[in-house]
């Protein structure tokens, strides 16, 4: 196999390193040919007419809540009797 021959890199001390300073030139300010357009706002969706809740919705909601409360009471009562018979 062939061996690679590399020469060690010699570090130049900072004192002897040549100083390279970039010439400071201010770039002339260029104006944009067209001014920035203001950001476009999202289109406002048309408002839908609100439907009035009828009395049927209120009655059904109350019945649903009453059924839930009755279900909870029955499960509580069944649990009470089940634990009492142990």
């Amino acid at each position: 196999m062939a061996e690679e021959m590399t020469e060690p890199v010699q570090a130049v001390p900072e004192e002897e390193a040549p100083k390279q300073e970039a010439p400071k030139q201010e770039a002339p300010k260029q104006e944009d040919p067209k001014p920035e357009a203001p950001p476009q706002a999202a289109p406002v969706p048309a408002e839908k007419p609100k439907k009035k809740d009828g009395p049927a919705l209120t009655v059904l909601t109350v019945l649903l809540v009453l059924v839930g409360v009755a279900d909870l009471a029955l499960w509580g009562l069944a649990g009470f009797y089940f634990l009492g018979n142990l």
Side-chain angles (χ1 to χ4, degrees), residues 24-69:
K24 293 182 181 178
Q25 294 179 352
E26 292 185 23
K29 292 183 180 177
Q30 296 178 357
E31 293 184 21
D32 292 335
K34 49 185 169 180
E36 292 183 24
Q40 295 180 353
V44 178
E47 290 185 27
K48 295 180 182 177
K50 293 183 179 180
K51 295 181 181 178
K52 290 188 176 182
D53 294 338
L57 183 61
T58 305
V59 170
L60 291 174
T61 304
V62 169
L63 287 176
L64 184 63
V65 170
L66 289 176
V67 168
V69 169

Side-chain angles (χ1 to χ4, degrees), residues 7 12 14 16 19 23 25 30 42 46 51 55 62 80 82:
E7 295 181 14
V12 179
E14 290 183 25
E16 296 177 9
K19 292 185 180 179
Q25 294 179 352
Q30 296 178 357
K51 295 181 181 178
V62 169
F80 178 75
F82 178 73

